[in-house]
Amino acid sequence: MTDRLPEAIRSRLSALVSAARVGQFASVGAVGAGVDNLSLYLLVELVALEPILAKVVAWEVAIAVIFAVNERWTFATFGSSNPRALGRRFLRSNAVRFAGFLVTLGVLAFLHYGFGVWYLAANVVGIGVGFFVNYTAESLYTWRVHRGER
């Protein structure tokens, strides 16, 4: 085994450890969580969707908002800014955030249906758990921070 794998792991881990970027990502995530919860509430209470189905719709609305803010603020110096690259990052962002969505959805379903926790409270817990999956995947796959800035 060569030294390439340990070095690749070290470079990715060091790229993830950026207090400023984690703070920005968390701030954007808080905005996204607000959009997600507001959308979820409106879809459940006004449209009368079941919480799980409403979560699917609310998630995509929040993802679009989160991507736009992350693109312009958190990861503004990473990746090309041409429309094609932007489109690829948006598709990658949706793909990688799907893992975080599954975590969030699983926690929501488990807490709400398994223990009777109010659906919005269960969603907030799920978002918190999914944060770590999303930050890692977005940093390393969508914006590829380990490759350096633009």
Side-chain angles (χ1 to χ4, degrees):
M1 183 171 172
T2 67
D3 288 331
R4 286 185 173 167
L5 181 59
E7 181 54 38
I9 292 169
R10 270 192 296 278
S11 73
R12 282 161 176 78
L13 287 175
S14 69
L16 288 174
V17 183
S18 166
R21 194 169 41 252
V22 170
Q24 288 172 309
F25 193 84
S27 297
V28 174
V31 170
V35 169
D36 185 292
N37 276 309
L38 177 60
S39 300
L40 180 60
Y41 176 81
L42 293 173
L43 290 166
V44 170
E45 301 300 328
L46 299 180
V47 181
L49 292 178
E50 283 295 316
I52 298 300
L53 180 58
K55 174 60 181 178
V56 172
V57 177
W59 171 73
E60 188 56 42
V61 171
I63 290 305
V65 171
I66 288 168
F67 177 82
V69 178
N70 272 329
E71 177 69 22
R72 294 291 174 208
W73 186 43
T74 311
F75 301 103
T77 61
F78 295 95
S80 173
S81 58
N82 72 57
R84 187 173 179 176
L86 180 66
R88 280 193 311 265
R89 276 195 303 279
F90 182 71
L91 292 175
R92 277 197 313 258
S93 180
N94 266 268
V96 299
R97 282 190 174 266
F98 189 68
F101 166 69
L102 291 177
V103 169
T104 303
L105 187 64
V107 171
L108 168 65
F110 179 74
L111 292 176
H112 179 66
Y113 293 110
F115 294 96
V117 175
W118 184 41
Y119 68 92
L120 287 178
N123 190 50
V124 169
V125 172
I127 288 170
V129 174
F131 169 84
F132 297 102
V133 173
N134 287 333
Y135 176 71
T136 301
E138 290 282 42
S139 294
L140 297 179
Y141 184 68
T142 302
W143 282 278
R144 301 174 185 204
V145 298
H146 57 285
R147 292 186 178 173
E149 297 182 11
R150 282 187 205 154

